[in-house]
Amino acid sequence: MTTIENQLQHKTIRAFKKTNLNQQQLQTLASVVNQTPTSMFMQQRSVLHITDLKKRKMIRKISSQSYVGANGDLFIFIVDLYRNQQIRHQLHKDDGRLHQTDVFMQGVEDTVLAVQNFVVAAESLGLGTVILGSINDDPLKLLEVLNLPPLTFPILGVQVGLPDQKPQLKPRLPLKFSFFENDYPRTFSSADLTEYDKVVRTYYDLREANRRIDSFTHQVEVKLDERATKRKDLLRALHQQKLCLE
């Protein structure tokens, strides 16, 4: 029940104390990642623990978030098909299906599951976490910084450490809008979210940090507008890594 209680009270932490994980914590988190379910037992994910201060600074610049690579520990979770390619080559086999999109997606599944297991374990240890999709705000630059081999690709980062803030619990969509039985309901109206928008506006108005007037539907309206972004280089970056070629 403690694990479920932690999950139901999950809060993103963006301020960490000036401490790092000890070896026991690192070993525990690494073991949890290692035991995460994996598609076809291919284990197509790996983790980089970024301790190099220069690399942390460059990843912070890519992410445009001051807390990335600052206090706490920074981890980058990567799809890793390179290891299995090397196994095949050493067994005198060609690359087979490794360049196909479906195999890359298997690696994505492995990697995202590992991220979530890592976060749940970290919070069970009394640590705070923030999942970093922003590491791919400049995917080509990130590949350069991480110096990754072909057939690998960074999917998400996680910053973890002792929390130095106590943010309020962020209200999620009511389950009736996202949890269905058998069929997906197509009769949806944004007007149905009026009450939820009120809850979200109250949350932003009352929270301790970055107060503002905002709502869920307004964020959907604004954040998904077309705009210039280096995230448009994602497919180019994937192809550079010899991934999703078919």
Side-chain angles (χ1 to χ4, degrees):
M1 288 302 297
T2 301
T3 299
I4 293 175
E5 288 166 4
N6 284 339
Q7 289 176 296
L8 291 174
Q9 293 296 314
H10 167 76
K11 300 169 185 176
T12 295
I13 301 298
R14 294 181 175 86
F16 301 92
K17 295 182 179 180
K18 293 182 178 180
T19 59
N20 293 106
L21 302 182
N22 59 46
Q23 284 302 311
Q24 183 176 355
Q25 290 169 323
L26 282 169
Q27 185 61 45
T28 297
L29 294 174
S31 297
V32 166
V33 168
N34 206 41
Q35 202 60 34
T36 298
T38 168
S39 179
M40 293 176 61
F41 195 49
M42 291 294 96
Q43 305 185 68
Q44 295 174 136
R45 45 94 189 102
S46 291
V47 184
L48 292 177
H49 182 199
I50 308 298
T51 58
D52 183 276
L53 295 180
K54 184 178 179 181
K55 286 189 176 183
R56 287 165 70 104
K57 183 177 180 180
M58 289 189 286
I59 295 169
R60 182 184 310 127
K61 184 176 181 180
I62 290 170
S63 299
S64 301
Q65 304 285 356
S66 60
Y67 52 84
V68 174
N71 293 339
D73 288 70
L74 176 61
F75 299 85
I76 305 295
F77 286 72
I78 63 174
V79 171
D80 185 357
L81 309 186
Y82 176 80
R83 179 171 51 244
N84 287 349
Q85 180 200 48
Q86 298 308 299
I87 291 172
R88 287 182 62 86
H89 287 184
Q90 291 166 32
L91 294 173
H92 309 293
K93 299 277 285 188
D94 61 17
D95 286 356
R97 297 189 299 115
L98 283 169
H99 301 282
Q100 295 182 5
T101 302
D102 71 309
V103 179
F104 173 72
M105 288 304 299
Q106 286 180 330
V108 171
E109 294 160 8
D110 283 5
T111 306
V112 172
L113 287 171
V115 168
Q116 184 58 34
N117 260 14
F118 180 94
V119 166
V120 171
E123 292 179 350
S124 296
L125 293 174
L127 302 168
T129 64
V130 53
I131 297 176
L132 306 167
S134 58
I135 62 168
N136 268 312
D137 280 359
D138 190 343
L140 292 169
K141 182 63 178 178
L142 183 64
L143 289 173
E144 177 186 329
V145 169
L146 297 179
N147 191 29
L148 290 173
L151 292 174
T152 61
F153 200 81
I155 297 295
L156 290 167
V158 180
Q159 189 92 3
V160 58
L162 287 175
D164 199 24
Q165 62 177 178
K166 294 182 179 180
Q168 292 88 337
L169 191 65
K170 199 169 189 177
R172 297 299 202 252
L173 278 167
L175 288 174
K176 65 180 180 180
F177 295 112
S178 61
F179 200 94
F180 313 124
E181 186 171 346
N182 294 325
D183 297 307
Y184 187 99
R186 296 171 184 263
T187 55
F188 170 78
S189 171
S190 60
D192 296 336
L193 294 175
T194 299
E195 290 303 314
Y196 177 60
D197 272 345
K198 290 180 182 178
V199 173
V200 173
R201 274 194 292 268
T202 299
Y203 160 79
Y204 281 117
D205 184 45
L206 297 180
R207 74 179 185 174
E208 295 174 2
N210 191 22
R211 290 182 179 176
R212 63 182 190 266
I213 299 174
D214 207 348
S215 69
F216 175 70
T217 56
H218 177 257
Q219 291 187 45
V220 173
E221 176 188 6
V222 174
K223 290 181 178 179
L224 296 180
D225 281 346
E226 285 286 347
R227 69 182 191 277
T229 169
K230 290 186 177 180
R231 280 180 175 257
K232 290 185 177 180
D233 291 334
L234 275 169
L235 187 58
R236 179 182 166 195
L238 285 168
H239 288 171
Q240 176 180 295
Q241 293 299 99
K242 311 301 181 185
L243 295 163
C244 299
L245 299 182
E246 301 178 35

